[in-house]
Amino acid sequence: MRSFTVRFFVSSLFLLLLSGPSLANQLEPFKATYTARFNGISVTATRKLTGQDDNWRLDFDTNTLFAHINEYSRFTRRDDQIIPYHYEYRRTGLGRDRGTILNFEPSKGMVLNVSNPERDLKGVSPHILDKVSYQLQLALDIAAGKETLQYEIADGKKVRKYTFAREGTETLVTPLGEIEVIKVRRVRNADSARETTVWFAPRWNYALVKLVQREENGKRYQISLTKLSIDGKKVTASQN
């Protein structure tokens, strides 16, 4: 039972930890660290954006006593649109190791599944994203003031559609200090009892500072930002 709970939590964290810093008119390298607890399980996760010009890489790493997950997206940016060209996911621990490699060819309307060619996706949107790059696109769109927050995401075997809605601004007290944030909610089917809410900090380059998820069984967990550096400079409360 404990193994199942850890697998569920790590998988949920992987899917739901949304984004790192971004700006409406530029990208800046960053490193953000998050902590979370769920049913007594402690998790530390790190997001890191590296690169410059039209060649960027966004990494996600998380470790528990039972598993290690690493995923990354390599992408370019054209105007205000993220365009991924390579995505990889690796999980070790929790039984059998798993991995996925995707190559994106948007001009051909294709996503090639290197790990399993039978799962190639054809006829996809030229704005198709992967499960890492869409997270940065969401932050960019919020920074740009966009009201339509809808994304098509290749998850390795099918295209999923995510929709988000703004819910105003609030002030949060965080380990880095008090900060004004934009509250965003994941829009789900009317019959779904799951709730996902995230908070982004404009003055910290739209870093995600908090995520709360409530499952259909009523269980709730929270992910919180604990450390953040932007372009090599540590963010502190005095920089509010």
Side-chain angles (χ1 to χ4, degrees):
M1 178 63 70
R2 181 176 179 83
S3 175
F4 171 79
T5 301
V6 174
R7 183 181 296 110
F8 168 81
F9 180 48
V10 172
S11 177
S12 296
L13 179 63
F14 158 64
L15 289 171
L16 294 168
L17 185 55
L18 289 177
S19 80
S22 63
L23 288 176
N25 60 356
Q26 65 178 353
L27 294 177
E28 289 185 297
F30 70 82
K31 184 176 182 180
T33 302
Y34 299 84
T35 60
R37 292 190 67 82
F38 179 74
N39 285 355
I41 304 167
S42 179
V43 176
T44 298
T46 302
R47 280 199 172 278
K48 182 171 64 174
L49 178 67
T50 55
Q52 58 184 348
D53 300 328
D54 61 351
N55 185 17
W56 294 91
R57 173 169 168 158
L58 181 60
D59 280 82
F60 167 73
D61 282 278
T62 187
N63 286 284
T64 72
L65 293 174
F66 306 93
H68 172 239
I69 288 176
N70 170 260
E71 62 168 338
Y72 72 86
S73 175
R74 299 191 70 95
F75 61 89
T76 62
R77 184 183 178 193
R78 189 170 302 153
D79 297 325
D80 61 351
Q81 181 66 40
I82 297 295
I83 304 173
Y85 58 85
H86 186 81
Y87 166 86
E88 291 196 24
Y89 165 77
R90 290 281 182 271
R91 190 193 76 188
T92 56
L94 294 178
R96 184 165 60 92
D97 294 349
R98 295 182 180 275
T100 300
I101 301 175
L102 303 178
N103 286 331
F104 289 73
E105 297 187 6
S107 63
K108 299 180 180 178
M110 297 182 64
V111 178
L112 304 179
N113 191 321
V114 178
S115 306
N116 187 347
E118 293 183 356
R119 292 183 171 181
D120 288 351
L121 300 174
K122 300 178 182 180
V124 300
S125 164
H127 301 305
I128 192 79
L129 298 164
D130 59 59
K131 290 191 289 188
V132 174
S133 60
Y134 98 85
Q135 302 160 2
L136 191 58
Q137 186 67 60
L138 173 61
L140 286 168
D141 290 346
I142 291 172
K146 293 184 178 181
E147 295 297 329
T148 300
L149 304 171
Q150 298 178 331
Y151 308 94
E152 294 187 2
I153 299 138
D155 77 347
K157 59 182 178 180
K158 62 188 294 187
V159 175
R160 298 185 183 275
K161 295 183 179 181
Y162 289 3
T163 301
F164 296 85
R166 295 170 179 262
E167 293 202 332
T169 61
E170 297 180 355
T171 298
L172 290 182
V173 177
T174 78
L176 303 180
E178 190 175 278
I179 188 71
E180 185 176 277
V181 294
I182 296 173
K183 184 178 180 181
V184 179
R185 176 179 55 87
R186 169 87 181 271
V187 178
R188 300 182 184 274
N189 295 332
D191 59 350
S192 175
R194 297 182 70 192
E195 297 179 2
T196 305
T197 309
V198 294
W199 289 260
F200 295 92
R203 283 187 288 176
W204 290 345
N205 282 10
Y206 291 84
L208 181 147
V209 297
K210 180 181 175 182
L211 179 148
V212 174
Q213 168 122 343
R214 187 182 302 277
E215 297 296 331
E216 293 179 346
N217 59 8
K219 291 185 177 180
R220 177 182 182 276
Y221 61 86
Q222 178 175 317
I223 297 166
S224 302
L225 178 69
T226 57
K227 297 179 182 178
L228 174 64
S229 61
I230 301 172
D231 203 17
K233 299 177 181 178
K234 184 179 179 181
V235 170
T236 63
S238 62
Q239 295 172 303
N240 287 358

